[in-house]
Amino acid sequence: MGMTIAEKIIALAAGVPEVKAGDIHTVNLDRMMSNDGTTHLTVDMYHNKLKHPHIADPKKMVFIVDHNVPSDSPKTAASQKKMRDFAREHNIDFWEGKGVCHQIMMENYVRPGELIFGADSHTCTYGALGAFGTGVGCTDLLYGMVTGTSWVLVPETVKFNLVGKLPEGVYPRDLMLTIIGEIGANGVNYQVMEFTGEGTKTLSVNDRMVLCNLAVEAGAKTAIFQADEIALEYLRERGREPKAVFESDPDAVYAREYTFDLSKIQPVAARPDFVDDVVPAKEVCGVRIDEAFLGSCNNGRIDDLRVGAKILKGHKVSDHVRFLVVPASQEVYLQAMKEGLIEIFMESGAIVMNPNCSVCWGSCQGVIGENEVLISTGTRNFKGRAGHPSSKVYLGSSATVTASAIKGEICTADQL
Amino acid sequence: MSVGKIFKFHNDLDTDQIIASQYLLLPNIEEMKVHTFESLDPDFPKKAKPGDYVVGGENFGCGSSREQAPSVLKALGIQAVVAKSFARIFYRNAINIGLPVIVCKDLPDAVQTGDEMELSLTDGVAVANGVTYSCTKLPEYMQNILSQGGLIASLNKED
């Protein structure tokens, strides 16, 4: 029986010729990432709960401080110090303030064919390079750190056949929100979303990251693209080699199949408080906003900043809106500076922040107050996600967010 | 498991509601647990007693992978979480820390907050308001982790 890309990666990591959905296997992990959202708890457990504290291979570990950067309180500073000290003591790669963890991982570590655990739900982003990345909690991370292994229940794969090309002014984020709106927040629970079809050839690695990153919002264990020439070129530019390049077998078994015609996708928005409450963006036009956010592991890359800057150039941010622009990494930030994008943002009245998770995770910077409204390129719009429980978050593309920041109410770029 | 009171929550209950982001970097679970379900019911940590149950609908625990979510429930003494379905990371985290979670399709719609229930993980049944509901038993692999007290306890048993 044939296997999907995800099944082949698990089989390789388990050291067996074949796996099938529903099997439980012990796998060797290629890499583990942990950020400041939970690492202080992992470190405490390492010191206080383990009979034999030990790290199987420090070279497989990456610690990234990205959630509350710079720290916002003495307690946060203490939690981050615990993480920093542990990383130094055990020779673990440590990044702080350099970017959102998944952007750092994609720029520096992820290779096709790898099986990666990250103590963050958006670890599914790594499928953009044909890797199997999945989110875990800190106990799983600790177990992996100590043993170099973990257990995996092989998930079913659901095929998403993409055809056509996105129209001008419509972005991968509109596509992924549309897919989530259609299949629901529970649509692919414990399954893998495999994106395939000729439409994938129109999507860059950055575009693919947008799709894979949000897969968890439909319940997926991960999402994956075949590592094709586009992915291998991204890898070559960064001096990395694949671990293994897989494609799904013609007789691979899929739980279901969907087809999405990219040319039919329109700008959409997810309404508060659920990511799958997706409507055409025009339906929510006119909603007055207090803040707009362009950034996050979903939409803080150079492509997204270019879209925002192009729309913003020659305009001013509305005088009742805080427009936060947060490049996803220092690499992105520096590129945006070279291209003059940061100048455009600042001259228009945007607040350009250091690379970090920012208001997408609702702590640290940009938090919104009682009854305030945010339009965001972040990952989630759950109740209170960006601050006060009564506040509201709409999700839209970088174009919709920027246009809304200018107008002071939700609007699409073509309505400016 | 003993008889306990039910606290019922809606479909697609995300982990931000269980414990909000701004509390995740507090030093430990004890400091976090007083903020459990703060956005939905700020008095929950006072009202919930050891031995009580949380009941959810579909996709319970979706969103963020924060292990603090099952951890604060366990720290408050919640005996088990019963739902129509679970989001995978919450489900796995709960088992890893030794908090029983069980899928029960029919019970959630038939009960309200304040009702009492009793659960048998090994038999895979729950009894509430005099009605017995069958639940989906955990796979043996996960049951083993739970019965050893969680993943780290099981690791400590290896030598």
CSV table of all heavy atoms in Angstrom, one decimal, chain A residues 36-38 40 49 51-52 75 79 120-121 134-135 137-140 150-151 185-186 189-190 361 363 380 382-383 385, chain B residues 14 16-17 21-22 24-26 31 39 59 63-68 85-86 88 92-93 96 141 151-152 155-156 159:
chain,number,residue,atom,x,y,z
A,36,ASP,N,9.5,31.0,24.9
A,36,ASP,CA,9.3,31.5,26.3
A,36,ASP,C,7.9,31.3,26.8
A,36,ASP,O,7.6,31.7,27.9
A,36,ASP,CB,9.9,32.9,26.4
A,36,ASP,CG,9.2,33.9,25.4
A,36,ASP,OD1,8.9,33.4,24.3
A,36,ASP,OD2,9.0,35.0,25.8
A,37,GLY,N,7.0,30.8,26.0
A,37,GLY,CA,5.6,30.5,26.4
A,37,GLY,C,5.6,29.4,27.5
A,37,GLY,O,4.7,29.5,28.4
A,38,THR,N,6.5,28.5,27.4
A,38,THR,CA,6.5,27.3,28.3
A,38,THR,C,7.8,26.9,28.8
A,38,THR,O,7.9,26.0,29.7
A,38,THR,CB,5.8,26.1,27.7
A,38,THR,OG1,6.4,25.8,26.4
A,38,THR,CG2,4.3,26.3,27.5
A,40,HIS,N,10.1,27.9,30.8
A,40,HIS,CA,10.4,28.0,32.2
A,40,HIS,C,9.8,26.8,33.0
A,40,HIS,O,10.4,26.3,33.9
A,40,HIS,CB,10.0,29.3,32.8
A,40,HIS,CG,8.5,29.6,32.7
A,40,HIS,ND1,7.9,29.6,31.5
A,40,HIS,CD2,7.6,29.9,33.6
A,40,HIS,CE1,6.6,29.9,31.7
A,40,HIS,NE2,6.4,30.1,33.0
A,49,LYS,N,11.6,17.1,38.5
A,49,LYS,CA,10.7,15.9,38.3
A,49,LYS,C,11.5,14.7,37.8
A,49,LYS,O,11.0,13.6,37.9
A,49,LYS,CB,9.6,16.2,37.3
A,49,LYS,CG,8.7,17.3,37.8
A,49,LYS,CD,7.6,16.9,38.7
A,49,LYS,CE,6.6,18.0,38.9
A,49,LYS,NZ,5.8,17.9,40.1
A,51,LYS,N,14.2,11.7,37.4
A,51,LYS,CA,15.1,10.9,38.3
A,51,LYS,C,16.5,11.0,37.7
A,51,LYS,O,17.5,11.1,38.5
A,51,LYS,CB,14.6,9.5,38.3
A,51,LYS,CG,15.1,8.7,39.4
A,51,LYS,CD,14.2,7.5,39.7
A,51,LYS,CE,14.5,6.4,38.8
A,51,LYS,NZ,13.7,5.2,39.0
A,52,HIS,N,16.6,11.0,36.4
A,52,HIS,CA,18.0,11.1,35.8
A,52,HIS,C,18.0,12.3,34.8
A,52,HIS,O,17.8,12.0,33.6
A,52,HIS,CB,18.3,9.8,35.1
A,52,HIS,CG,18.2,8.6,35.9
A,52,HIS,ND1,19.1,8.4,37.0
A,52,HIS,CD2,17.4,7.5,35.9
A,52,HIS,CE1,18.8,7.3,37.6
A,52,HIS,NE2,17.7,6.7,37.0
A,75,LYS,N,8.5,39.3,36.7
A,75,LYS,CA,8.3,37.8,36.7
A,75,LYS,C,8.6,37.2,35.3
A,75,LYS,O,9.1,36.1,35.2
A,75,LYS,CB,6.8,37.6,37.1
A,75,LYS,CG,6.6,37.7,38.6
A,75,LYS,CD,5.2,37.3,39.0
A,75,LYS,CE,5.1,37.5,40.5
A,75,LYS,NZ,3.7,37.2,41.0
A,79,SER,N,11.4,34.3,34.4
A,79,SER,CA,11.1,33.1,33.6
A,79,SER,C,12.0,33.0,32.4
A,79,SER,O,12.5,31.9,32.0
A,79,SER,CB,9.6,33.1,33.1
A,79,SER,OG,8.8,33.0,34.2
A,120,ASP,N,4.8,24.8,20.6
A,120,ASP,CA,4.0,25.9,20.1
A,120,ASP,C,3.1,25.3,19.0
A,120,ASP,O,3.6,24.6,18.1
A,120,ASP,CB,4.9,27.0,19.5
A,120,ASP,CG,4.1,28.2,19.2
A,120,ASP,OD1,3.4,28.2,18.2
A,120,ASP,OD2,4.2,29.2,19.9
A,121,SER,N,1.8,25.7,19.0
A,121,SER,CA,0.9,25.0,18.1
A,121,SER,C,1.2,25.3,16.7
A,121,SER,O,0.8,24.5,15.8
A,121,SER,CB,-0.5,25.4,18.5
A,121,SER,OG,-0.7,26.8,18.4
A,134,THR,N,5.1,19.5,14.3
A,134,THR,CA,3.9,19.5,15.0
A,134,THR,C,4.0,20.1,16.4
A,134,THR,O,5.1,20.0,17.0
A,134,THR,CB,3.2,18.1,15.0
A,134,THR,OG1,1.9,18.2,15.5
A,134,THR,CG2,4.0,17.2,16.0
A,135,GLY,N,2.9,20.7,16.9
A,135,GLY,CA,3.0,21.4,18.2
A,135,GLY,C,2.7,20.4,19.3
A,135,GLY,O,1.9,19.4,19.2
A,137,GLY,N,3.1,20.0,24.0
A,137,GLY,CA,3.2,20.7,25.3
A,137,GLY,C,4.6,20.5,25.9
A,137,GLY,O,5.5,19.9,25.3
A,138,CYS,N,4.8,21.1,27.0
A,138,CYS,CA,6.2,21.1,27.6
A,138,CYS,C,6.6,19.7,28.1
A,138,CYS,O,7.8,19.4,28.2
A,138,CYS,CB,6.4,22.2,28.6
A,138,CYS,SG,5.2,22.4,29.8
A,139,THR,N,5.6,18.9,28.5
A,139,THR,CA,6.0,17.5,29.0
A,139,THR,C,6.5,16.7,27.8
A,139,THR,O,7.5,16.0,27.9
A,139,THR,CB,4.8,16.9,29.7
A,139,THR,OG1,4.5,17.6,30.8
A,139,THR,CG2,5.1,15.5,30.1
A,140,ASP,N,5.8,16.8,26.7
A,140,ASP,CA,6.3,16.1,25.5
A,140,ASP,C,7.7,16.6,25.1
A,140,ASP,O,8.5,15.8,24.7
A,140,ASP,CB,5.3,16.4,24.3
A,140,ASP,CG,4.4,15.2,24.0
A,140,ASP,OD1,4.8,14.0,24.3
A,140,ASP,OD2,3.3,15.4,23.6
A,150,SER,N,10.0,10.2,20.8
A,150,SER,CA,8.7,10.4,21.3
A,150,SER,C,7.8,9.3,20.6
A,150,SER,O,8.2,8.5,19.9
A,150,SER,CB,8.2,11.8,20.9
A,150,SER,OG,6.9,12.0,21.6
A,151,TRP,N,6.5,9.4,21.0
A,151,TRP,CA,5.5,8.5,20.4
A,151,TRP,C,4.6,9.3,19.5
A,151,TRP,O,4.3,10.4,19.8
A,151,TRP,CB,4.7,7.7,21.4
A,151,TRP,CG,3.9,8.5,22.4
A,151,TRP,CD1,4.3,9.1,23.5
A,151,TRP,CD2,2.5,8.8,22.2
A,151,TRP,NE1,3.2,9.8,24.1
A,151,TRP,CE2,2.1,9.6,23.3
A,151,TRP,CE3,1.5,8.5,21.3
A,151,TRP,CZ2,0.8,10.1,23.5
A,151,TRP,CZ3,0.2,9.0,21.5
A,151,TRP,CH2,-0.1,9.8,22.6
A,185,ALA,N,-13.3,24.7,12.4
A,185,ALA,CA,-12.2,24.6,13.3
A,185,ALA,C,-11.8,23.2,13.7
A,185,ALA,O,-10.8,23.0,14.3
A,185,ALA,CB,-12.6,25.5,14.5
A,186,ASN,N,-12.8,22.3,13.5
A,186,ASN,CA,-12.6,20.9,13.8
A,186,ASN,C,-12.5,20.0,12.6
A,186,ASN,O,-12.6,18.8,12.6
A,186,ASN,CB,-13.8,20.4,14.7
A,186,ASN,CG,-13.5,19.3,15.5
A,186,ASN,OD1,-12.3,18.9,15.8
A,186,ASN,ND2,-14.5,18.6,16.0
A,189,ASN,N,-9.4,17.5,12.4
A,189,ASN,CA,-8.8,17.2,13.7
A,189,ASN,C,-8.0,15.9,13.7
A,189,ASN,O,-8.4,14.9,13.2
A,189,ASN,CB,-9.9,17.1,14.8
A,189,ASN,CG,-9.4,17.1,16.2
A,189,ASN,OD1,-8.2,17.3,16.4
A,189,ASN,ND2,-10.2,16.9,17.1
A,190,TYR,N,-6.8,16.0,14.1
A,190,TYR,CA,-5.8,14.9,14.2
A,190,TYR,C,-5.4,14.4,12.8
A,190,TYR,O,-5.0,13.3,12.6
A,190,TYR,CB,-6.2,13.7,15.1
A,190,TYR,CG,-5.0,13.2,15.7
A,190,TYR,CD1,-4.5,13.6,16.9
A,190,TYR,CD2,-4.2,12.2,15.0
A,190,TYR,CE1,-3.3,13.2,17.4
A,190,TYR,CE2,-3.0,11.8,15.5
A,190,TYR,CZ,-2.6,12.2,16.8
A,190,TYR,OH,-1.4,11.8,17.3
A,361,TRP,N,-0.5,37.3,20.4
A,361,TRP,CA,-0.7,36.4,21.5
A,361,TRP,C,-1.3,37.1,22.7
A,361,TRP,O,-1.5,36.4,23.8
A,361,TRP,CB,0.6,35.5,21.8
A,361,TRP,CG,1.4,35.9,22.9
A,361,TRP,CD1,2.1,37.1,23.0
A,361,TRP,CD2,1.7,35.2,24.1
A,361,TRP,NE1,2.8,37.1,24.2
A,361,TRP,CE2,2.6,35.9,24.8
A,361,TRP,CE3,1.3,33.9,24.5
A,361,TRP,CZ2,3.0,35.4,26.1
A,361,TRP,CZ3,1.7,33.5,25.7
A,361,TRP,CH2,2.6,34.2,26.5
A,363,SER,N,-0.4,39.3,25.0
A,363,SER,CA,0.3,39.7,26.2
A,363,SER,C,1.4,40.6,25.7
A,363,SER,O,1.6,40.8,24.6
A,363,SER,CB,0.9,38.4,26.9
A,363,SER,OG,1.5,38.7,28.1
A,380,ARG,N,-5.0,34.2,15.5
A,380,ARG,CA,-6.3,33.8,16.1
A,380,ARG,C,-7.1,35.0,16.5
A,380,ARG,O,-6.6,36.1,16.7
A,380,ARG,CB,-6.0,33.0,17.4
A,380,ARG,CG,-5.3,31.7,17.1
A,380,ARG,CD,-5.1,30.8,18.3
A,380,ARG,NE,-4.7,29.5,17.9
A,380,ARG,CZ,-3.6,28.9,18.3
A,380,ARG,NH1,-2.8,29.4,19.2
A,380,ARG,NH2,-3.3,27.7,17.8
A,382,PHE,N,-9.7,34.5,19.1
A,382,PHE,CA,-10.5,33.9,20.2
A,382,PHE,C,-10.9,35.1,21.1
A,382,PHE,O,-10.2,36.1,21.2
A,382,PHE,CB,-9.7,32.9,21.0
A,382,PHE,CG,-9.3,31.7,20.2
A,382,PHE,CD1,-8.1,31.0,20.5
A,382,PHE,CD2,-10.0,31.2,19.1
A,382,PHE,CE1,-7.7,29.9,19.8
A,382,PHE,CE2,-9.6,30.1,18.4
A,382,PHE,CZ,-8.5,29.4,18.8
A,383,LYS,N,-11.9,34.8,21.9
A,383,LYS,CA,-12.4,35.8,22.9
A,383,LYS,C,-11.2,36.2,23.8
A,383,LYS,O,-10.5,35.4,24.4
A,383,LYS,CB,-13.5,35.2,23.8
A,383,LYS,CG,-14.1,36.0,24.9
A,383,LYS,CD,-15.1,35.1,25.6
A,383,LYS,CE,-15.5,35.7,26.9
A,383,LYS,NZ,-16.3,36.9,26.8
A,385,ARG,N,-8.3,37.2,23.1
A,385,ARG,CA,-7.0,36.8,22.6
A,385,ARG,C,-6.0,37.9,22.6
A,385,ARG,O,-4.8,37.7,22.8
A,385,ARG,CB,-7.2,36.2,21.2
A,385,ARG,CG,-5.9,35.9,20.4
A,385,ARG,CD,-5.2,34.6,21.0
A,385,ARG,NE,-3.9,34.4,20.3
A,385,ARG,CZ,-3.2,33.3,20.5
A,385,ARG,NH1,-3.5,32.4,21.4
A,385,ARG,NH2,-2.1,33.1,19.9
B,14,ASP,N,-11.4,27.2,23.4
B,14,ASP,CA,-10.0,27.2,23.2
B,14,ASP,C,-9.2,27.4,24.5
B,14,ASP,O,-9.7,27.9,25.5
B,14,ASP,CB,-9.7,28.4,22.2
B,14,ASP,CG,-10.1,29.7,22.7
B,14,ASP,OD1,-9.3,30.3,23.4
B,14,ASP,OD2,-11.2,30.2,22.4
B,16,ASP,N,-7.0,29.5,25.3
B,16,ASP,CA,-6.9,30.9,25.8
B,16,ASP,C,-7.9,31.2,26.9
B,16,ASP,O,-7.7,32.0,27.8
B,16,ASP,CB,-7.1,31.9,24.6
B,16,ASP,CG,-5.8,32.2,23.9
B,16,ASP,OD1,-5.4,31.3,23.1
B,16,ASP,OD2,-5.3,33.3,24.0
B,17,GLN,N,-9.1,30.5,26.7
B,17,GLN,CA,-10.2,30.7,27.7
B,17,GLN,C,-9.8,30.0,29.0
B,17,GLN,O,-10.2,30.4,30.1
B,17,GLN,CB,-11.5,30.3,27.2
B,17,GLN,CG,-11.9,30.8,25.8
B,17,GLN,CD,-11.7,32.3,25.6
B,17,GLN,OE1,-12.0,33.1,26.5
B,17,GLN,NE2,-11.1,32.6,24.5
B,21,SER,N,-3.2,34.3,27.9
B,21,SER,CA,-1.8,34.4,27.6
B,21,SER,C,-1.0,35.2,28.7
B,21,SER,O,0.1,34.9,29.0
B,21,SER,CB,-1.6,35.2,26.3
B,21,SER,OG,-2.2,34.5,25.2
B,22,GLN,N,-1.7,36.3,29.2
B,22,GLN,CA,-0.9,37.1,30.1
B,22,GLN,C,-0.5,36.5,31.4
B,22,GLN,O,0.3,37.0,32.1
B,22,GLN,CB,-1.6,38.4,30.4
B,22,GLN,CG,-2.9,38.3,31.2
B,22,GLN,CD,-4.2,38.5,30.3
B,22,GLN,OE1,-4.2,38.0,29.2
B,22,GLN,NE2,-5.1,39.2,30.8
B,24,LEU,N,0.7,33.2,31.4
B,24,LEU,CA,1.5,32.0,31.1
B,24,LEU,C,3.0,32.0,31.6
B,24,LEU,O,3.6,31.0,31.8
B,24,LEU,CB,1.5,31.7,29.6
B,24,LEU,CG,0.2,31.3,29.0
B,24,LEU,CD1,0.3,30.9,27.5
B,24,LEU,CD2,-0.5,30.2,29.7
B,25,LEU,N,3.5,33.3,31.7
B,25,LEU,CA,4.9,33.4,32.1
B,25,LEU,C,5.0,33.6,33.6
B,25,LEU,O,6.1,33.9,34.1
B,25,LEU,CB,5.6,34.5,31.3
B,25,LEU,CG,6.2,33.9,30.0
B,25,LEU,CD1,5.1,33.7,28.9
B,25,LEU,CD2,7.3,34.8,29.4
B,26,LEU,N,3.9,33.5,34.3
B,26,LEU,CA,4.0,33.5,35.8
B,26,LEU,C,4.9,32.3,36.2
B,26,LEU,O,5.1,31.4,35.4
B,26,LEU,CB,2.6,33.4,36.4
B,26,LEU,CG,1.7,34.6,36.3
B,26,LEU,CD1,0.4,34.4,36.8
B,26,LEU,CD2,2.4,35.9,36.9
B,31,GLU,N,0.5,29.8,40.8
B,31,GLU,CA,0.2,31.2,40.6
B,31,GLU,C,-0.8,31.4,39.4
B,31,GLU,O,-1.6,32.4,39.4
B,31,GLU,CB,1.4,32.1,40.3
B,31,GLU,CG,2.2,32.4,41.6
B,31,GLU,CD,3.2,33.5,41.4
B,31,GLU,OE1,2.9,34.5,40.8
B,31,GLU,OE2,4.3,33.3,42.0
B,39,SER,N,-12.0,34.5,31.7
B,39,SER,CA,-12.8,35.3,30.7
B,39,SER,C,-14.2,34.8,30.7
B,39,SER,O,-15.1,35.6,30.3
B,39,SER,CB,-12.2,35.1,29.3
B,39,SER,OG,-12.2,33.8,28.9
B,59,ASN,N,-14.4,19.6,19.9
B,59,ASN,CA,-13.1,20.3,19.7
B,59,ASN,C,-12.6,21.0,21.0
B,59,ASN,O,-12.1,22.1,21.0
B,59,ASN,CB,-13.3,21.3,18.6
B,59,ASN,CG,-12.0,21.7,17.9
B,59,ASN,OD1,-11.0,21.0,18.0
B,59,ASN,ND2,-11.9,22.9,17.3
B,63,GLY,N,-6.7,25.4,19.7
B,63,GLY,CA,-5.8,26.6,19.7
B,63,GLY,C,-4.5,26.3,20.3
B,63,GLY,O,-3.9,25.3,19.9
B,64,SER,N,-4.0,27.2,21.1
B,64,SER,CA,-2.6,27.2,21.6
B,64,SER,C,-2.2,25.9,22.3
B,64,SER,O,-3.1,25.2,22.9
B,64,SER,CB,-2.5,28.3,22.6
B,64,SER,OG,-1.3,28.1,23.4
B,65,SER,N,-1.0,25.5,22.1
B,65,SER,CA,-0.5,24.2,22.7
B,65,SER,C,-0.1,24.4,24.2
B,65,SER,O,0.4,23.4,24.8
B,65,SER,CB,0.8,23.8,21.9
B,65,SER,OG,1.8,24.8,22.0
B,66,ARG,N,-0.4,25.5,24.8
B,66,ARG,CA,0.0,25.8,26.2
B,66,ARG,C,-0.4,24.6,27.1
B,66,ARG,O,-1.6,24.3,27.3
B,66,ARG,CB,-0.7,27.1,26.6
B,66,ARG,CG,-2.1,27.1,26.5
B,66,ARG,CD,-2.7,28.6,26.7
B,66,ARG,NE,-2.2,29.5,25.6
B,66,ARG,CZ,-2.6,30.7,25.5
B,66,ARG,NH1,-3.4,31.3,26.4
B,66,ARG,NH2,-2.1,31.5,24.5
B,67,GLU,N,0.6,24.0,27.7
B,67,GLU,CA,0.3,22.9,28.6
B,67,GLU,C,-0.3,23.4,29.9
B,67,GLU,O,-0.8,22.6,30.7
B,67,GLU,CB,1.6,22.1,28.8
B,67,GLU,CG,1.4,20.7,29.5
B,67,GLU,CD,2.6,19.9,29.5
B,67,GLU,OE1,3.1,19.5,28.5
B,67,GLU,OE2,3.2,19.7,30.6
B,68,GLN,N,-0.1,24.7,30.1
B,68,GLN,CA,-0.7,25.3,31.3
B,68,GLN,C,-2.2,25.0,31.4
B,68,GLN,O,-2.8,25.1,32.5
B,68,GLN,CB,-0.4,26.8,31.3
B,68,GLN,CG,1.0,27.2,31.5
B,68,GLN,CD,1.8,27.4,30.2
B,68,GLN,OE1,1.5,26.7,29.2
B,68,GLN,NE2,2.8,28.3,30.3
B,85,SER,N,-15.5,15.8,21.6
B,85,SER,CA,-14.3,15.5,20.9
B,85,SER,C,-13.2,16.5,21.5
B,85,SER,O,-13.6,17.6,22.0
B,85,SER,CB,-14.4,15.7,19.4
B,85,SER,OG,-14.7,17.0,19.0
B,86,PHE,N,-12.0,16.2,21.3
B,86,PHE,CA,-10.9,17.1,21.8
B,86,PHE,C,-10.0,17.5,20.7
B,86,PHE,O,-9.8,16.8,19.7
B,86,PHE,CB,-10.0,16.3,22.8
B,86,PHE,CG,-10.7,16.0,24.1
B,86,PHE,CD1,-11.4,14.8,24.3
B,86,PHE,CD2,-10.6,16.9,25.2
B,86,PHE,CE1,-12.0,14.5,25.5
B,86,PHE,CE2,-11.2,16.6,26.4
B,86,PHE,CZ,-11.9,15.4,26.6
B,88,ARG,N,-6.3,17.9,19.4
B,88,ARG,CA,-5.3,16.9,19.6
B,88,ARG,C,-4.2,17.3,20.6
B,88,ARG,O,-3.8,16.5,21.4
B,88,ARG,CB,-4.6,16.4,18.3
B,88,ARG,CG,-4.0,17.5,17.5
B,88,ARG,CD,-2.9,16.9,16.6
B,88,ARG,NE,-1.8,16.4,17.3
B,88,ARG,CZ,-0.7,17.1,17.6
B,88,ARG,NH1,-0.7,18.4,17.2
B,88,ARG,NH2,0.3,16.6,18.2
B,92,ARG,N,-3.4,15.3,24.1
B,92,ARG,CA,-2.1,14.7,24.4
B,92,ARG,C,-1.5,15.3,25.6
B,92,ARG,O,-0.9,14.5,26.4
B,92,ARG,CB,-1.3,14.9,23.1
B,92,ARG,CG,0.0,14.2,23.2
B,92,ARG,CD,0.7,14.2,21.8
B,92,ARG,NE,2.1,13.8,22.0
B,92,ARG,CZ,2.7,12.8,21.3
B,92,ARG,NH1,2.1,12.2,20.3
B,92,ARG,NH2,3.9,12.5,21.5
B,93,ASN,N,-1.6,16.6,25.8
B,93,ASN,CA,-1.0,17.2,27.0
B,93,ASN,C,-1.6,16.7,28.2
B,93,ASN,O,-1.0,16.5,29.2
B,93,ASN,CB,-1.2,18.7,26.9
B,93,ASN,CG,-0.2,19.4,25.9
B,93,ASN,OD1,0.8,18.8,25.5
B,93,ASN,ND2,-0.5,20.6,25.6
B,96,ASN,N,-0.4,13.3,29.0
B,96,ASN,CA,1.0,13.4,29.5
B,96,ASN,C,1.2,13.9,30.9
B,96,ASN,O,2.1,13.5,31.6
B,96,ASN,CB,1.8,14.3,28.5
B,96,ASN,CG,2.1,13.7,27.2
B,96,ASN,OD1,2.1,12.5,27.0
B,96,ASN,ND2,2.5,14.5,26.2
B,141,TYR,N,-2.2,2.3,24.8
B,141,TYR,CA,-0.9,3.0,25.0
B,141,TYR,C,-1.1,4.3,25.8
B,141,TYR,O,-0.3,4.5,26.7
B,141,TYR,CB,-0.4,3.4,23.6
B,141,TYR,CG,1.0,3.9,23.5
B,141,TYR,CD1,2.1,3.0,23.2
B,141,TYR,CD2,1.3,5.2,23.8
B,141,TYR,CE1,3.4,3.4,23.2
B,141,TYR,CE2,2.7,5.7,23.7
B,141,TYR,CZ,3.7,4.8,23.5
B,141,TYR,OH,5.0,5.2,23.4
B,151,LEU,N,3.5,11.1,31.6
B,151,LEU,CA,4.6,10.7,30.8
B,151,LEU,C,6.0,10.8,31.6
B,151,LEU,O,6.8,9.9,31.4
B,151,LEU,CB,4.7,11.6,29.6
B,151,LEU,CG,5.7,11.2,28.4
B,151,LEU,CD1,5.3,9.9,27.8
B,151,LEU,CD2,5.7,12.3,27.4
B,152,ILE,N,6.1,11.8,32.4
B,152,ILE,CA,7.4,11.9,33.1
B,152,ILE,C,7.5,10.8,34.2
B,152,ILE,O,8.6,10.2,34.4
B,152,ILE,CB,7.6,13.3,33.7
B,152,ILE,CG1,7.6,14.3,32.6
B,152,ILE,CG2,8.8,13.4,34.6
B,152,ILE,CD1,8.6,14.2,31.5
B,155,LEU,N,8.6,7.8,32.4
B,155,LEU,CA,10.0,7.9,32.1
B,155,LEU,C,10.9,7.6,33.3
B,155,LEU,O,11.9,6.9,33.2
B,155,LEU,CB,10.3,9.3,31.6
B,155,LEU,CG,11.7,9.7,31.2
B,155,LEU,CD1,12.2,8.8,30.0
B,155,LEU,CD2,11.8,11.2,30.9
B,156,ASN,N,10.5,8.1,34.5
B,156,ASN,CA,11.2,7.8,35.7
B,156,ASN,C,11.3,6.4,36.1
B,156,ASN,O,12.1,5.9,36.8
B,156,ASN,CB,10.7,8.7,36.8
B,156,ASN,CG,11.2,10.1,36.7
B,156,ASN,OD1,12.2,10.4,36.1
B,156,ASN,ND2,10.4,11.0,37.3
B,159,ASP,N,14.9,2.6,33.4
B,159,ASP,CA,16.3,2.8,33.9
B,159,ASP,C,17.3,2.5,32.8
B,159,ASP,O,17.1,1.9,31.9
B,159,ASP,CB,16.6,2.0,35.1
B,159,ASP,CG,16.4,2.8,36.4
B,159,ASP,OD1,16.9,3.9,36.5
B,159,ASP,OD2,15.6,2.3,37.3
